[in-house]
Amino acid sequence: MKGKNGVRPHGFLRGAAILTAGVLVVKVLGAVFKIPLNWIIQEDGMGYFTTAYSFYSPIYSLATAGFPIAISRMVSAGIARGRFREVRQVHRVSVFLFLLTGLLGTALMLLGAGWYVEAVGNPGALPAMVLLAPSILFSCLSAIYRGYYEGLRNMTPTAVSQILEALCRLGLGLFGSFWVLQTAQEEYAALGTVFGQEASSWEQARAVALPWAAAGAVAGVTAGAAVSFLFLLLRHKLRGDGLGKESLTASPAPRKARSTAARLLKTALPIGLGAVAVNIAGLVDTTFLQGRVGEILVQRPGPLLEMYRGMIPDYNLQHMETIPNFLFGCYANAHTLFMVIPAVTQAFGVSALPNVTTAWASGNPRRLKGSMETVLRMTSLFSLPAGIGLAVLAGPLSSLLFGSGGAAPIVARVLPVMAAGAVFASMSTPLQSMLQAVGRADIPVKLLAAALLLKTFLSYWLTGIPELNIMGAAIGTLACYLFMMVGSLIALCRATGLVPRQVFWKPLAAAALCGAAAWGCQRFLENLLPGHSVITLVSVSVAAVFYAVCLVFMGLLKSEEIARLPGGQKILKILEKRPESE
């Protein structure tokens, strides 16, 4: 039902459900993209692909992360106060700011690409970096509309645009990488060359083609960002924002555009810098992991080569300089699974922002505490079983997704530590959003700066130990996000004077039972049907059903929360006798 101003807002749970559904679809499409992409270009190609992304991510975050949140917060506050003309002005001002930051971000990536690939010793990543640069501009332009509609509590445009972007990335990215390798193979078979360069074997020819195959995959990413922006632009032109004429006419005059721009920048810059700090953690991994593994191979290669005996391909062993990129590709595959969990819970943070902002502005402690507890409980209910399941099924999942070759066991060694880090990263995201909602956007920046220093120190030190190598980067990631979660939770409690209750322990108990069910089912079926990959899917399904039963009988969802979900009334009828949580 529309509100008095003509806007049809989504409540937190409905908005979170829409965004979460959208994110789940996007992540499934992302997995469908990255997993076949790994089959096509394998770990060496993924090393080039991820190296390009590691440089791209901080620039992208600085250009896009802060403004959508700032827009969402200013729009939701304007709606709550009835200042609808000011809401429109926020949108107008943001268009100019985002166009400028998008152009600057694209230029920065193009100018810095050559220097960066030389600095990390991975020149094969250069073509991918060049083709990825324009996506910063398109992503900035998309972020204008995503932040605006999220502030209006309409999460549908964000969800739909993300799905369209993922679909284009999937189709065009896979086609691009496959086409490049297919073209290279045909040229080698006919002429013995690849793109004009002579090759003595197909392995060498493929190594020459892989940087361009990674660039072909990246071209799909850029095209997806462009399609997402075009959808949001057309939707806004055709359907508008839902603000009624009467509300706009009766609304107070907006502030001057310069004042609105200053408020946007003041709110956005701390958030953007915080997001940069998070993504610089990935840049730290890219830089130190490859560099430190290269040092190990020069100074003390024995322990590392023995650790991965039978896992590193012969071509890489014959060309030792390629091993750092290969191992980085293995780490990138583990990081892909790691990112699924916090990416989903990011939807909780985005949807929580306008609701917590409104509760804070209303000065109602009870409403604020209820909003905080709902966000944290829903985040726990998803992140804890996902993280535990990823850890206990690390080996089977790696083999299922990345094949039964030598790279899968390497991914499986890193994954349990990354899974634990994913839980803490998942909890950190909505905590930071709530700190921003209550006017303390400076705290996440300070915590992220400290966490980044911790991550940098641990990654540099631990990845240089031959017996740890890429595992050192995983340990640094775990420590970084553990520090972030604990620090953010303490800061939120101090900022609001409220302590959330009963949001962690019961979900943890249910998640532990879920993990035990997954592990037990996997071991049982392995004895009956050894070597069948389908048993991993069965184990995951059994664990999910078991977890759903735990949620019902442990009373981990409240009736009013279920009722606000899409289709919630039907769910309540099925669960009429479900015990309530205290």
Side-chain angles (χ1 to χ4, degrees):
M1 184 175 68
K2 290 187 178 182
K4 294 179 180 179
N5 54 19
V7 180
R8 182 182 286 109
H10 296 146
F12 163 68
L13 286 174
R14 184 174 178 83
I18 291 171
L19 277 182
T20 301
V23 169
L24 284 173
V25 172
V26 168
K27 286 304 166 182
V28 168
L29 293 173
V32 173
F33 171 56
K34 283 195 174 181
I35 292 169
L37 180 62
N38 181 76
W39 297 342
I40 296 170
I41 64 177
Q42 298 186 345
E43 284 71 26
D44 294 281
M46 291 302 295
Y48 300 133
F49 182 89
T50 309
T51 297
Y53 251 96
S54 297
F55 186 78
Y56 159 85
S57 293
I59 301 174
Y60 168 85
S61 296
L62 183 60
T64 65
F67 283 111
I69 295 175
I71 293 170
S72 175
R73 182 178 173 191
M74 290 176 65
V75 168
S76 62
I79 292 291
R81 296 184 175 96
R83 301 183 67 91
F84 305 114
R85 292 169 64 187
E86 189 168 298
V87 167
R88 284 278 181 88
Q89 187 183 69
V90 169
H91 180 262
R92 289 193 296 269
V93 170
S94 66
V95 171
F96 170 76
L97 290 176
F98 262 62
L99 180 61
L100 179 62
T101 55
L103 290 171
L104 290 175
T106 298
L108 180 59
M109 186 161 182
L110 288 172
L111 294 173
W115 166 83
Y116 177 69
V117 296
E118 291 298 327
V120 300
N122 198 356
L126 183 60
M129 293 186 68
V130 172
L131 283 180
L132 190 58
S135 69
I136 296 176
L137 174 61
F138 294 124
S139 297
C140 280
L141 296 175
S142 295
I144 299 168
Y145 298 96
R146 289 176 180 175
Y148 186 63
Y149 283 106
E150 287 161 10
L152 293 171
R153 301 192 193 181
N154 183 358
M155 308 301 171
T156 302
T158 294
V160 174
S161 67
Q162 288 174 337
I163 292 171
L164 287 174
E165 183 174 350
L167 284 170
C168 290
R169 181 170 62 233
L170 168 65
L172 297 178
L174 291 180
F175 172 78
S177 59
F178 179 80
W179 178 81
V180 169
L181 287 178
Q182 186 67 25
T183 302
Q185 187 173 14
E186 291 173 358
E187 180 183 336
Y188 174 74
L191 303 173
T193 61
V194 176
F195 307 140
Q197 182 176 334
E198 292 186 2
S200 58
S201 65
W202 168 239
E203 287 75 17
Q204 183 182 357
R206 192 173 187 279
V208 173
L210 277 176
W212 299 99
V218 160
V221 176
T222 299
V227 168
S228 174
F229 163 63
L230 289 175
F231 162 76
L232 289 166
L233 177 64
L234 288 173
R235 186 198 182 283
H236 188 74
K237 293 288 186 183
L238 296 175
R239 299 184 60 181
D241 55 14
L243 294 177
K245 290 184 179 180
E246 293 182 3
S247 300
L248 289 168
T249 303
S251 172
R255 295 179 176 87
K256 293 182 179 180
R258 182 177 298 178
S259 174
T260 300
R263 291 175 63 215
L264 268 173
L265 289 171
K266 183 178 179 180
T267 305
L269 283 178
I271 301 169
L273 291 172
V276 169
V278 171
N279 286 284
I280 286 178
L283 192 62
V284 167
D285 285 336
T286 305
T287 305
F288 289 153
L289 193 152
Q290 296 182 74
R292 295 290 274 171
V293 169
E295 292 175 5
I296 291 172
L297 291 171
V298 171
Q299 300 171 4
R300 194 182 161 203
L304 185 147
L305 296 177
E306 181 62 30
M307 177 184 296
Y308 301 127
R309 180 183 294 273
M311 303 178 193
I312 300 177
D314 291 338
Y315 178 83
N316 298 99
L317 291 173
Q318 293 165 8
H319 301 80
M320 296 278 283
E321 71 278 4
T322 67
I323 290 179
N325 182 62
F326 168 78
L327 290 178
F328 180 65
C330 296
Y331 179 83
N333 284 336
H335 195 269
T336 296
L337 297 179
F338 159 87
M339 283 303 299
V340 170
I341 304 174
V344 173
T345 61
Q346 184 179 12
F348 297 144
V350 170
S351 189
L353 185 64
N355 290 275
V356 175
T357 298
T358 302
W360 176 256
S362 69
N364 187 332
R366 183 176 179 180
R367 182 181 177 187
L368 178 62
K369 185 178 180 183
S371 297
M372 290 166 53
E373 289 178 344
T374 297
V375 174
L376 293 176
R377 182 166 55 255
M378 298 299 290
T379 305
S380 299
L381 289 176
F382 174 80
S383 62
L384 288 169
I388 291 174
L390 198 59
V392 300
L393 296 180
L397 283 172
S398 298
S399 297
L400 176 68
L401 298 176
F402 304 116
S404 56
I410 299 176
V411 175
R413 291 189 180 195
V414 178
L415 202 50
V417 179
M418 297 292 287
V423 173
F424 299 129
S426 298
M427 299 302 303
S428 298
T429 303
L431 284 168
Q432 291 172 55
S433 292
M434 287 189 283
L435 280 167
Q436 293 153 7
V438 300
R440 295 307 309 267
D442 60 309
I443 294 178
V445 177
K446 295 172 184 176
L447 289 172
L448 282 165
L452 179 59
L453 289 175
L454 177 64
K455 162 73 177 170
T456 302
F457 168 75
L458 289 176
S459 293
Y460 183 82
W461 172 43
L462 296 176
T463 53
I465 299 174
E467 292 79 7
L468 289 178
N469 51 84
I470 62 174
M471 183 66 76
I475 296 171
T477 299
L478 170 62
C480 171
Y481 286 111
L482 174 60
F483 176 86
M484 271 299 307
M485 189 203 79
V486 174
S488 298
L489 181 59
I490 293 173
L492 182 64
C493 293
R494 288 181 175 177
T496 61
L498 302 171
V499 179
R501 304 289 184 184
Q502 299 179 2
V503 294
F504 299 119
W505 297 114
K506 281 188 176 182
L508 179 60
L513 293 172
C514 171
W519 183 87
C521 184
Q522 180 73 24
R523 295 297 177 270
F524 176 74
L525 292 177
E526 281 179 347
N527 292 328
L528 292 179
L529 302 168
H532 287 263
S533 58
V534 71
I535 67 176
T536 303
L537 297 176
V538 173
S539 299
V540 171
S541 301
V542 169
V545 172
F546 188 82
Y547 184 62
V549 173
C550 288
L551 292 183
V552 172
F553 286 99
M554 295 178 70
L556 287 170
L557 286 177
K558 296 181 178 180
S559 297
E560 60 268 23
E561 293 173 345
I562 297 175
R564 278 178 275 170
L565 293 171
Q569 294 296 337
K570 294 181 180 179
I571 298 173
L572 279 178
K573 289 180 180 179
I574 298 172
L575 303 177
E576 284 179 345
K577 297 182 180 180
R578 178 186 58 83
E580 287 285 347
S581 61
E582 295 178 3

PDB file of all heavy atoms in Angstrom, residues 205-226:
ATOM      1  N   ALA A 205      51.388 -22.114 -26.206  1.00  0.00           N
ATOM      2  CA  ALA A 205      50.426 -21.294 -26.935  1.00  0.00           C
ATOM      3  C   ALA A 205      49.279 -20.872 -26.022  1.00  0.00           C
ATOM      4  O   ALA A 205      48.818 -19.723 -26.054  1.00  0.00           O
ATOM      5  CB  ALA A 205      49.895 -22.069 -28.134  1.00  0.00           C
ATOM      6  N   ARG A 206      48.818 -21.792 -25.213  1.00  0.00           N
ATOM      7  CA  ARG A 206      47.716 -21.498 -24.288  1.00  0.00           C
ATOM      8  C   ARG A 206      48.156 -20.463 -23.252  1.00  0.00           C
ATOM      9  O   ARG A 206      47.375 -19.575 -22.884  1.00  0.00           O
ATOM     10  CB  ARG A 206      47.266 -22.782 -23.605  1.00  0.00           C
ATOM     11  CG  ARG A 206      45.970 -22.659 -22.848  1.00  0.00           C
ATOM     12  CD  ARG A 206      45.507 -24.021 -22.338  1.00  0.00           C
ATOM     13  NE  ARG A 206      44.198 -23.917 -21.755  1.00  0.00           N
ATOM     14  CZ  ARG A 206      43.964 -23.486 -20.502  1.00  0.00           C
ATOM     15  NH1 ARG A 206      44.990 -23.138 -19.745  1.00  0.00           N
ATOM     16  NH2 ARG A 206      42.741 -23.391 -20.038  1.00  0.00           N
ATOM     17  N   ALA A 207      49.397 -20.575 -22.788  1.00  0.00           N
ATOM     18  CA  ALA A 207      49.908 -19.610 -21.817  1.00  0.00           C
ATOM     19  C   ALA A 207      49.945 -18.207 -22.413  1.00  0.00           C
ATOM     20  O   ALA A 207      49.672 -17.214 -21.724  1.00  0.00           O
ATOM     21  CB  ALA A 207      51.304 -20.030 -21.352  1.00  0.00           C
ATOM     22  N   VAL A 208      50.250 -18.102 -23.710  1.00  0.00           N
ATOM     23  CA  VAL A 208      50.247 -16.798 -24.378  1.00  0.00           C
ATOM     24  C   VAL A 208      48.827 -16.249 -24.496  1.00  0.00           C
ATOM     25  O   VAL A 208      48.587 -15.041 -24.360  1.00  0.00           O
ATOM     26  CB  VAL A 208      50.892 -16.921 -25.778  1.00  0.00           C
ATOM     27  CG1 VAL A 208      50.734 -15.617 -26.566  1.00  0.00           C
ATOM     28  CG2 VAL A 208      52.371 -17.281 -25.649  1.00  0.00           C
ATOM     29  N   ALA A 209      47.856 -17.142 -24.732  1.00  0.00           N
ATOM     30  CA  ALA A 209      46.473 -16.707 -24.951  1.00  0.00           C
ATOM     31  C   ALA A 209      45.725 -16.395 -23.664  1.00  0.00           C
ATOM     32  O   ALA A 209      44.746 -15.636 -23.685  1.00  0.00           O
ATOM     33  CB  ALA A 209      45.719 -17.780 -25.730  1.00  0.00           C
ATOM     34  N   LEU A 210      46.144 -16.952 -22.527  1.00  0.00           N
ATOM     35  CA  LEU A 210      45.373 -16.818 -21.285  1.00  0.00           C
ATOM     36  C   LEU A 210      45.160 -15.368 -20.834  1.00  0.00           C
ATOM     37  O   LEU A 210      44.057 -15.029 -20.369  1.00  0.00           O
ATOM     38  CB  LEU A 210      46.024 -17.632 -20.169  1.00  0.00           C
ATOM     39  CG  LEU A 210      45.682 -19.123 -20.150  1.00  0.00           C
ATOM     40  CD1 LEU A 210      46.460 -19.843 -19.050  1.00  0.00           C
ATOM     41  CD2 LEU A 210      44.185 -19.349 -19.956  1.00  0.00           C
ATOM     42  N   PRO A 211      46.161 -14.479 -20.918  1.00  0.00           N
ATOM     43  CA  PRO A 211      45.874 -13.093 -20.521  1.00  0.00           C
ATOM     44  C   PRO A 211      44.742 -12.468 -21.332  1.00  0.00           C
ATOM     45  O   PRO A 211      43.930 -11.694 -20.796  1.00  0.00           O
ATOM     46  CB  PRO A 211      47.207 -12.381 -20.781  1.00  0.00           C
ATOM     47  CG  PRO A 211      48.244 -13.444 -20.661  1.00  0.00           C
ATOM     48  CD  PRO A 211      47.593 -14.676 -21.225  1.00  0.00           C
ATOM     49  N   TRP A 212      44.650 -12.819 -22.613  1.00  0.00           N
ATOM     50  CA  TRP A 212      43.588 -12.275 -23.451  1.00  0.00           C
ATOM     51  C   TRP A 212      42.257 -12.974 -23.181  1.00  0.00           C
ATOM     52  O   TRP A 212      41.190 -12.354 -23.317  1.00  0.00           O
ATOM     53  CB  TRP A 212      43.979 -12.397 -24.918  1.00  0.00           C
ATOM     54  CG  TRP A 212      45.235 -11.636 -25.206  1.00  0.00           C
ATOM     55  CD1 TRP A 212      46.514 -12.133 -25.312  1.00  0.00           C
ATOM     56  CD2 TRP A 212      45.344 -10.224 -25.363  1.00  0.00           C
ATOM     57  NE1 TRP A 212      47.406 -11.128 -25.534  1.00  0.00           N
ATOM     58  CE2 TRP A 212      46.716  -9.934 -25.576  1.00  0.00           C
ATOM     59  CE3 TRP A 212      44.433  -9.180 -25.367  1.00  0.00           C
ATOM     60  CZ2 TRP A 212      47.182  -8.637 -25.777  1.00  0.00           C
ATOM     61  CZ3 TRP A 212      44.889  -7.885 -25.558  1.00  0.00           C
ATOM     62  CH2 TRP A 212      46.251  -7.622 -25.766  1.00  0.00           C
ATOM     63  N   ALA A 213      42.315 -14.244 -22.794  1.00  0.00           N
ATOM     64  CA  ALA A 213      41.083 -14.941 -22.410  1.00  0.00           C
ATOM     65  C   ALA A 213      40.512 -14.327 -21.129  1.00  0.00           C
ATOM     66  O   ALA A 213      39.290 -14.167 -20.992  1.00  0.00           O
ATOM     67  CB  ALA A 213      41.361 -16.426 -22.210  1.00  0.00           C
ATOM     68  N   ALA A 214      41.392 -13.974 -20.175  1.00  0.00           N
ATOM     69  CA  ALA A 214      40.935 -13.291 -18.959  1.00  0.00           C
ATOM     70  C   ALA A 214      40.327 -11.941 -19.306  1.00  0.00           C
ATOM     71  O   ALA A 214      39.324 -11.520 -18.725  1.00  0.00           O
ATOM     72  CB  ALA A 214      42.098 -13.122 -17.981  1.00  0.00           C
ATOM     73  N   ALA A 215      40.926 -11.256 -20.282  1.00  0.00           N
ATOM     74  CA  ALA A 215      40.373  -9.969 -20.729  1.00  0.00           C
ATOM     75  C   ALA A 215      39.007 -10.158 -21.380  1.00  0.00           C
ATOM     76  O   ALA A 215      38.113  -9.323 -21.225  1.00  0.00           O
ATOM     77  CB  ALA A 215      41.343  -9.302 -21.701  1.00  0.00           C
ATOM     78  N   GLY A 216      38.839 -11.266 -22.112  1.00  0.00           N
ATOM     79  CA  GLY A 216      37.533 -11.555 -22.698  1.00  0.00           C
ATOM     80  C   GLY A 216      36.465 -11.732 -21.642  1.00  0.00           C
ATOM     81  O   GLY A 216      35.318 -11.281 -21.814  1.00  0.00           O
ATOM     82  N   ALA A 217      36.816 -12.382 -20.532  1.00  0.00           N
ATOM     83  CA  ALA A 217      35.872 -12.531 -19.421  1.00  0.00           C
ATOM     84  C   ALA A 217      35.534 -11.186 -18.804  1.00  0.00           C
ATOM     85  O   ALA A 217      34.375 -10.900 -18.466  1.00  0.00           O
ATOM     86  CB  ALA A 217      36.458 -13.468 -18.371  1.00  0.00           C
ATOM     87  N   VAL A 218      36.529 -10.316 -18.668  1.00  0.00           N
ATOM     88  CA  VAL A 218      36.331  -8.995 -18.086  1.00  0.00           C
ATOM     89  C   VAL A 218      35.441  -8.123 -18.970  1.00  0.00           C
ATOM     90  O   VAL A 218      34.675  -7.281 -18.473  1.00  0.00           O
ATOM     91  CB  VAL A 218      37.700  -8.327 -17.843  1.00  0.00           C
ATOM     92  CG1 VAL A 218      37.573  -6.829 -17.722  1.00  0.00           C
ATOM     93  CG2 VAL A 218      38.343  -8.895 -16.588  1.00  0.00           C
ATOM     94  N   ALA A 219      35.509  -8.335 -20.283  1.00  0.00           N
ATOM     95  CA  ALA A 219      34.658  -7.561 -21.185  1.00  0.00           C
ATOM     96  C   ALA A 219      33.188  -7.788 -20.858  1.00  0.00           C
ATOM     97  O   ALA A 219      32.356  -6.872 -20.978  1.00  0.00           O
ATOM     98  CB  ALA A 219      34.950  -7.950 -22.634  1.00  0.00           C
ATOM     99  N   GLY A 220      32.845  -9.017 -20.443  1.00  0.00           N
ATOM    100  CA  GLY A 220      31.475  -9.290 -20.022  1.00  0.00           C
ATOM    101  C   GLY A 220      31.095  -8.516 -18.769  1.00  0.00           C
ATOM    102  O   GLY A 220      29.941  -8.093 -18.614  1.00  0.00           O
ATOM    103  N   VAL A 221      32.046  -8.310 -17.867  1.00  0.00           N
ATOM    104  CA  VAL A 221      31.798  -7.530 -16.651  1.00  0.00           C
ATOM    105  C   VAL A 221      31.462  -6.084 -17.005  1.00  0.00           C
ATOM    106  O   VAL A 221      30.500  -5.499 -16.491  1.00  0.00           O
ATOM    107  CB  VAL A 221      33.029  -7.589 -15.721  1.00  0.00           C
ATOM    108  CG1 VAL A 221      32.830  -6.697 -14.505  1.00  0.00           C
ATOM    109  CG2 VAL A 221      33.306  -9.025 -15.285  1.00  0.00           C
ATOM    110  N   THR A 222      32.243  -5.499 -17.896  1.00  0.00           N
ATOM    111  CA  THR A 222      32.003  -4.117 -18.302  1.00  0.00           C
ATOM    112  C   THR A 222      30.665  -3.972 -19.022  1.00  0.00           C
ATOM    113  O   THR A 222      29.908  -3.019 -18.782  1.00  0.00           O
ATOM    114  CB  THR A 222      33.155  -3.632 -19.196  1.00  0.00           C
ATOM    115  OG1 THR A 222      34.381  -3.692 -18.452  1.00  0.00           O
ATOM    116  CG2 THR A 222      32.927  -2.211 -19.658  1.00  0.00           C
ATOM    117  N   ALA A 223      30.358  -4.915 -19.898  1.00  0.00           N
ATOM    118  CA  ALA A 223      29.075  -4.874 -20.608  1.00  0.00           C
ATOM    119  C   ALA A 223      27.910  -5.000 -19.633  1.00  0.00           C
ATOM    120  O   ALA A 223      26.885  -4.318 -19.784  1.00  0.00           O
ATOM    121  CB  ALA A 223      29.024  -6.000 -21.644  1.00  0.00           C
ATOM    122  N   GLY A 224      28.036  -5.846 -18.622  1.00  0.00           N
ATOM    123  CA  GLY A 224      26.983  -5.998 -17.622  1.00  0.00           C
ATOM    124  C   GLY A 224      26.741  -4.716 -16.848  1.00  0.00           C
ATOM    125  O   GLY A 224      25.588  -4.354 -16.571  1.00  0.00           O
ATOM    126  N   ALA A 225      27.819  -4.014 -16.493  1.00  0.00           N
ATOM    127  CA  ALA A 225      27.670  -2.739 -15.784  1.00  0.00           C
ATOM    128  C   ALA A 225      26.941  -1.713 -16.651  1.00  0.00           C
ATOM    129  O   ALA A 225      26.110  -0.939 -16.154  1.00  0.00           O
ATOM    130  CB  ALA A 225      29.044  -2.212 -15.369  1.00  0.00           C
ATOM    131  N   ALA A 226      27.227  -1.707 -17.950  1.00  0.00           N
ATOM    132  CA  ALA A 226      26.551  -0.773 -18.865  1.00  0.00           C
ATOM    133  C   ALA A 226      25.068  -1.091 -18.975  1.00  0.00           C
ATOM    134  O   ALA A 226      24.217  -0.185 -18.947  1.00  0.00           O
ATOM    135  CB  ALA A 226      27.215  -0.833 -20.244  1.00  0.00           C
TER     136      ALA A 226
END
